[in-house]
Structures are given as structure tokens and as C-alpha cells.
Amino acid sequence: MSVRETYEYNRLTWPEMNDAIEMQKVVILPTGSTEQHGPHMPLDVDLFLATSVCHELGRRAPDKVLVLPAIPYGLNMHHIDFPGTIHIQPDHFIDFCVDVTKSVAYHGFKRIALVNGHGSNGPMVDLVARRTVLETPSICCAFTYISLGWAEALKVLESEVHAHADEYETSLYLYFAKERVRFDKAVFGNDHVGQYMSSDSTKTVRFNDFWGRWTKTGVHGDPAKATPEKGKQILEIVMKHMLAWLDEYRVWPIEARSDQHRLPAQKEIRW
Ligand SMILES: [Zn+2]
């Protein structure tokens, strides 16, 4: 396999890495979690789906991307009442991910992206991208793959409630690994919903409660409506947008900063 055909970051040797840097592939860091996903799916849903989506992108555009090994853990204390869930403190997560992106930037890759699969990692991957921009000469962006083409995905989905271990995630998991879904155990679940707030941050005022307070199944949505065919349709929607984003990002300008101070700024200050 040539460098042009290889999309997995750590499958390259160091001399091949020099070629990948010359090609200026976009380096992608998938972020997931090890977290309960109801009685019908394993704890690896966010990790497995984020990785699978990024690898699918890699298969379709191997000359444009390198996909790093994924971060398997995230912010999860709110799920800790369900056996098996692993929690990482937000500061640890952010610092660890920035160490990864800084290493990538050090080698000369100019464009880095975090592709997230766990909603609660959202604010943290945003900060990782911002810190990478501010602390390196490279640029870095972050998004949760579910948000790409969401309006189109809604047309594929039949249920009303979408959040966690739901019709969307279960359909994608069924598509990638049907044999690991205990579909006979898929049950509907909803959170406490008010006018402005809900216990799982689905309303305008942001609030996420301990899940042990409002659910006994760990499901938020209707996985019973999931099918592998819907998963395939969702994947194609996400891929269409990811490939378009990738082409936009690959040529995104990285211009020299212009300093507007009349007198020299005191640039020796270290942040
Ligand atoms: Zn999930």
C-alpha cells in the first residue's frame, strides 16, 4: 500500500510519514467514549461509530486524510450509575488531546480535525481545536459527525426523540455490526422535559443531570425503530457532507497574522 492509499496514521513508517507531510493530508482524531448505551448495545458505540465513520471517509479519500487511533474515553460522570461507564475529567481530556494535536502539528501537518462521536465531548473538542490554533502554527477544527446533514437524517428517521442509544445510533451500529446489537432488548426512553430545560440538554437552557436520576434503561430515544438500511442511508448523508467539508478544509487559507499595534506588542509574555 502506498502512502497515497493508506489512511490509517499509525500504519505508516517514519519515512512514509515524510511523504504524507509533503502531501499535507488532513489529520483526523476521532473521539469517542466508553459509556452505557442501553440494554441493547455495547459500551463502545461512540468509539466504534466515530472510528467507523472516519475510516469510511479514509476509504473514500485515502489520498487526502490520515486517521489517528481514536480517543476511547470521554466526559461521562453523568452515566456513572450504569455499570462499566468510564469517566475522564474534562481537563485531562483536553490536555491529552491537545498533546496529540500538538505532536501532529510539530511534524508539519497544517490541518487537523477532531471528529467526535460522544455528545458530551462537544464543548471539550471545541476547546481542543481552539487551543491547537492558538498554541501551534497549524489550524484545527472539531465537529460531532452526527451534526453533519442532521436535517437530512431526520427525514430518514421515524421517531420523535433523538439523543442517545436512539434510532440514529442504533441504525448505524446495525449497519456496521448487526451481530453485536441485542435488538430484542431495544426499548424507548425519554428524559424529563420542561419548557426551557430537559435533563439531557435537548432544550435551549443547557443542563445535563445524572442519568441515574431520570432513566433506568439508559436509553433516550426509540432504538426499536432502527434498521441497518436506515444506517446505510445515514452513513451516505454523513459521507456526502464530510467529503465536501474535507475539500473545503484542505484549501482553507492559513494567512500570516497582521499586527495592528502602533508600538511593538510585548511578545515575550508566555501564556
Ligand atoms: Zn452515543
Side-chain angles (χ1 to χ4, degrees):
M1 292 273 273
S2 71
V3 175
R4 190 164 281 282
E5 294 164 315
T6 305
Y7 60 83
E8 286 180 272
Y9 185 95
N10 58 1
R11 294 283 165 89
L12 295 179
T13 64
W14 71 257
E16 290 166 346
M17 196 55 86
N18 276 327
D19 297 334
I21 295 163
E22 264 182 14
M23 291 169 67
Q24 277 301 311
K25 288 191 172 196
V26 171
V27 177
I28 291 179
L29 176 62
T31 56
S33 69
T34 300
E35 165 197 60
Q36 74 81 15
H37 269 76
H40 68 292
M41 286 199 291
L43 275 70
D44 74 346
V45 172
D46 295 346
L47 174 67
F48 176 62
L49 294 184
T51 303
S52 300
V53 163
C54 291
H55 281 193
E56 186 64 28
L57 180 75
R59 279 189 283 276
R60 297 185 190 203
D63 54 326
K64 298 177 182 172
V65 294
L66 283 180
V67 181
L68 284 157
I71 306 288
Y73 309 116
L75 175 73
N76 259 318
M77 185 59 85
H78 51 301
H79 284 277
I80 209 74
D81 294 324
F82 294 83
T85 297
I86 305 286
H87 169 66
I88 300 297
Q89 295 283 55
D91 288 351
H92 299 171
F93 180 95
I94 293 168
D95 285 346
F96 191 90
C97 290
V98 170
D99 282 348
V100 175
T101 58
K102 273 186 169 172
S103 301
V104 168
Y106 182 87
H107 296 301
F109 289 103
K110 297 287 188 202
R111 291 174 182 78
I112 306 164
L114 286 89
V115 175
N116 181 39
H118 173 50
S120 296
N121 286 346
M124 301 190 300
V125 295
D126 192 18
L127 287 171
V128 171
R130 284 166 177 260
R131 275 190 55 189
T132 306
V133 171
L134 300 178
E135 298 174 24
T136 78
S138 300
I139 58 172
C140 183
C141 61
F143 59 91
T144 298
Y145 73 84
I146 297 165
S147 64
L148 286 186
W150 176 246
E152 290 159 71
L154 278 180
K155 292 178 191 153
V156 175
L157 301 171
E158 292 175 82
S159 45
E160 304 277 310
V161 179
H162 312 283
H164 175 84
D166 55 3
E167 185 184 3
Y168 184 108
E169 283 189 321
T170 306
S171 292
L172 260 190
Y173 209 116
L174 282 169
Y175 172 70
F176 282 118
K178 196 176 194 297
E179 67 285 359
R180 301 211 296 260
V181 178
R182 289 67 149 171
F183 196 66
D184 57 321
K185 296 195 166 56
V187 289
F188 172 78
N190 206 352
D191 63 342
H192 296 315
V193 182
Q195 185 181 352
Y196 298 104
M197 296 167 55
S198 90
S199 20
D200 186 24
S201 280
T202 55
K203 304 287 269 187
T204 311
V205 174
R206 307 301 290 165
F207 165 59
N208 209 298
D209 206 350
F210 275 104
W211 283 47
R213 287 187 169 137
W214 58 268
T215 173
K216 290 191 166 37
T217 63
V219 174
H220 188 185
D222 196 357
K225 294 202 164 67
T227 67
E229 293 73 27
K230 287 178 186 170
K232 170 70 176 158
Q233 284 176 270
I234 289 167
L235 180 66
E236 288 307 323
I237 292 167
V238 172
M239 279 304 118
K240 180 183 80 178
H241 288 284
M242 266 183 113
L243 286 161
W245 157 77
L246 184 60
D247 284 338
E248 179 174 298
Y249 194 40
R250 287 178 72 232
V251 295
W252 196 267
I254 307 176
E255 293 171 11
R257 289 161 55 199
S258 69
D259 187 344
Q260 306 301 323
H261 292 89
R262 187 175 302 133
L263 299 176
Q266 302 199 96
K267 292 187 177 171
E268 65 273 25
I269 293 175
R270 296 175 70 94
W271 298 97

